[in-house]
Amino acid sequence: MKVAPQIINVALRSGFLRKLAAAYAKRYAFQHYVERDHGYTPNIWYERYVIAANLIETLERALTNRNISASVRKKLIDLLVGRILLKNTQSPSQDSITEFGQNPPVLSPSALDAERVGKAKAFHIYPEKKRGVCKMVSILAIDGGGIRGLLPARILQEIQRRMGSSGDREPLARHFDLIAGTSTGSLIALGTALLDREGTERYTASDIVDLYLRRGKEIFPPALRSTVHTAVQAFHNKYAAAGLERLLRELFGDASLKSAATNLLITSFDTEAMEPHCMKRRPPRGKWASDFDYYMRDAARASAAAPTYFPPAHISPIGNPHLKFSLIDGGVFANNPSGLAYVESTKIFPAENDFLILSLGTGKEHHGYRYDDIHSWGYVEWINPAKGFPLGAIASAGQGEMTNHQLSRLESVRYVRIDTSLRGCEAPIDDSSRRNLDCLNRIADTMIEEHDEQIDGVCRALVSRRFPVNADEYGIAAR
């Protein structure tokens, strides 16, 4: 018994109490908490659990090697874990114990504190599938659309306002298991995922809205929207990249994708390899541990390099200065990145089959192209920016609608698409005039009103972190 106080002191100094609590919570308390509908962010405790499992084995071996009897070992483990776990919890079933492999030392029911374990976010630990757990994987996907990114930014601002009014002060990034963005959507995605060292948001949704309203002209100077500059666009990039790059450096500094608060997928297209190039932040396990890392400013620059508007980005992964990629706007193949985000999330969470995808658009053309107008067009007309770059607009609309169609018909997916017609606002992605920004703000107000039930349902689902059995109750029934 003389060794017991020494081991307890070592355990306390090494953080054993916290880590052992996480491990025992996974083995004992998760079923109890699912029954109470508690739900928490899945990623936070995963690494702690892996460490804790090893620590339990190490502690068991250490105690055994010192010829401490089984009854004393049990009391010691009870002491370490029981100090931070609750009393009067039901004993776990044998199935719930053996599901995770070797049986841990048996605890008395009085040693368990499921309340505190649940609040510690310990039962939602991926990637293992837990029997009886109804876990929702939440995904945020944001379309490209230049200055029209004000629309999805306003939706996120409203979501954050509603969640805050219900007492939820968590950063938005903590509510999503993966955030994907294309072009202007990548700027919003990266801004949302960036936290400071204290774990608070570097930019709230309101800050991002303000960015579009106050600083859009730095990216798209109104003076360059003249007829002359539109004609020049046929032969040269319309805008220099300096203003955009200066703003991105100011916003993101040296922050990297791997420093983000959640998983990320940022789209771009490699013009030399002629294939999509998606920059990712994923859990660093297996082959993903060698994923390229990028500065957030470079990822945003590449994803927003819209052909004829900005020159391609020529960037390198962090630590690989001799490896260069020529990248353009991801909107050329996935202006709506929801489908890519879903596929990526199934790889990160292979055991899960319940997904909520919040897909935010940047406004749809309120008119099409009549046969009488287009039947004699040549290539100049089809790519004429003064006509809204019809070829690109049609390709983008087709890709977006196909993605909407596919995701809305998957049984495992609750697909919430929030978009609207531009209704009188300018469709070009670079109209940063006060008149157009005011128009976009009015459309955003209408957009929020039209999708009120869906937004409210998404807020409640994110806060509860569970996939609703009755989706209509949450106002997020399938399209």
Side-chain angles (χ1 to χ4, degrees):
M1 289 297 295
K2 291 182 179 180
V3 75
Q6 298 173 356
I7 295 177
I8 291 174
N9 289 334
V10 171
L12 288 170
R13 289 197 302 270
S14 303
F16 270 161
L17 286 176
R18 175 170 54 83
K19 294 168 183 174
L20 286 173
Y24 273 84
K26 179 174 179 62
R27 295 173 185 258
Y28 287 91
F30 69 89
Q31 284 187 331
H32 181 79
Y33 264 82
V34 169
E35 292 172 3
R36 295 191 181 187
D37 290 332
H38 286 274
Y40 298 92
T41 306
N43 308 20
I44 295 174
W45 282 69
Y46 174 70
E47 292 182 1
R48 292 182 184 178
Y49 164 68
V50 173
I51 294 171
N54 294 329
L55 288 174
I56 288 175
E57 294 178 3
T58 301
L59 183 57
E60 280 284 281
R61 285 196 300 269
L63 296 175
T64 301
N65 292 340
R66 286 171 172 76
N67 296 318
I68 297 176
S69 68
S71 62
V72 174
R73 289 204 306 270
K74 175 183 177 299
K75 288 179 180 179
L76 181 56
I77 296 293
D78 278 3
L79 177 62
L80 288 173
V81 180
R83 283 184 176 181
I84 51 175
L85 300 178
L86 228 207
K87 297 180 181 180
N88 302 323
T89 300
Q90 294 178 351
S91 299
S93 66
Q94 187 63 31
D95 286 344
S96 68
I97 296 174
T98 58
E99 183 176 353
F100 301 103
Q102 291 184 340
N103 294 355
V106 177
L107 292 179
S108 62
S110 62
L112 295 177
D113 179 349
E115 286 288 343
R116 294 188 64 183
V117 171
K119 292 178 181 177
K121 308 176 181 180
F123 80 82
H124 263 340
I125 306 173
Y126 74 89
E128 295 87 355
K129 182 69 175 178
K130 296 158 283 292
R131 184 174 305 166
V133 171
C134 191
K135 174 188 175 297
M136 178 185 71
V137 175
S138 57
I139 301 165
L140 171 63
I142 310 166
D143 287 13
I147 198 67
R148 291 167 12 214
L150 177 60
L151 297 179
R154 283 285 312 277
I155 297 298
L156 291 177
Q157 180 187 43
E158 179 65 14
I159 287 174
Q160 193 161 47
R161 184 192 70 78
R162 295 189 189 191
M163 293 174 71
S165 65
S166 68
D168 189 299
R169 297 292 188 271
E170 282 284 303
L172 272 179
R174 296 291 192 200
H175 288 287
F176 292 101
D177 300 305
L178 184 144
I179 303 178
T182 290
S183 195
T184 196
S186 72
L187 189 152
I188 299 172
L190 292 165
T192 300
L194 183 60
L195 305 186
D196 60 25
R197 291 183 178 179
E198 288 72 39
T200 57
E201 291 168 307
R202 180 80 61 84
Y203 304 109
T204 65
S206 292
D207 293 330
I208 296 173
V209 168
D210 195 49
L211 174 70
Y212 282 94
L213 294 175
R214 291 193 306 108
R215 309 193 65 178
K217 293 180 180 180
E218 296 179 34
I219 303 173
F220 303 115
L224 299 184
R225 293 204 69 248
S226 66
T227 303
V228 172
H229 284 95
T230 299
V232 170
Q233 193 177 358
F235 307 98
H236 194 271
N237 299 312
K238 189 172 184 179
Y239 300 102
L244 173 60
E245 290 175 354
R246 184 168 53 249
L247 178 60
L248 293 176
R249 180 174 289 275
E250 178 185 333
L251 292 174
F252 299 115
D254 290 333
S256 71
L257 296 186
K258 289 188 178 180
S259 70
T262 190
N263 298 302
L264 287 171
L265 187 151
I266 305 299
T267 68
S268 67
F269 190 87
D270 187 331
T271 62
E272 295 180 358
M274 289 299 287
E275 64 185 16
H277 186 93
C278 292
M279 295 161 280
K280 303 174 183 179
R281 185 273 198 194
R282 303 186 281 190
R285 61 176 186 256
K287 65 180 181 180
W288 296 346
S290 60
D291 278 355
F292 287 139
D293 193 15
Y294 293 88
Y295 290 116
M296 286 187 175
R297 63 175 187 262
D298 287 344
R301 169 70 177 85
S303 189
T308 78
Y309 288 92
F310 294 106
H314 203 213
I315 66 172
S316 299
I318 296 174
N320 291 272
H322 302 297
L323 180 60
K324 292 283 188 179
F325 293 102
S326 174
L327 304 177
I328 61 173
D329 195 321
V332 299
F333 74 96
N335 199 59
N336 176 352
S338 300
L340 295 175
Y342 169 68
V343 172
E344 189 65 30
S345 68
T346 62
K347 292 189 288 185
I348 297 174
F349 305 99
E352 305 300 341
N353 57 15
D354 298 321
F355 298 85
L356 169 65
I357 303 177
L358 174 60
S359 175
L360 303 181
T362 56
K364 297 179 288 187
E365 295 274 3
H366 56 279
H367 63 81
Y369 299 93
R370 298 173 59 250
Y371 171 80
D372 290 342
D373 296 329
I374 69 173
H375 76 281
S376 61
W377 278 3
Y379 72 87
V380 172
E381 296 290 351
W382 277 107
I383 63 173
N384 187 348
K387 297 181 182 295
F389 188 32
L391 188 61
I394 290 171
S396 177
Q399 181 270 331
E401 288 304 312
M402 181 58 68
T403 298
N404 295 339
H405 174 82
Q406 292 169 335
L407 292 178
S408 64
R409 283 157 178 78
L410 293 177
E411 291 185 3
S412 61
V413 174
R414 187 63 50 181
Y415 185 61
V416 182
R417 176 68 174 173
I418 298 181
D419 202 4
T420 191
S421 168
L422 290 172
R423 285 186 293 247
C425 293
E426 293 296 324
I429 65 172
D430 62 336
D431 188 349
S432 61
S433 67
R434 173 51 54 187
R435 179 186 60 80
N436 193 49
L437 290 173
D438 289 343
C439 182
L440 290 172
N441 252 331
R442 289 193 297 272
I443 284 183
D445 291 336
T446 303
M447 197 173 174
I448 291 168
E449 183 179 351
E450 290 177 345
H451 296 88
D452 177 71
E453 289 187 6
Q454 285 181 302
I455 293 172
D456 195 48
V458 166
C459 290
R460 284 185 284 163
L462 290 177
V463 170
S464 69
R465 294 294 291 162
R466 70 180 177 89
F467 188 79
V469 175
N470 180 4
D472 292 329
E473 171 193 350
Y474 282 77
I476 55 173
R479 297 172 72 248

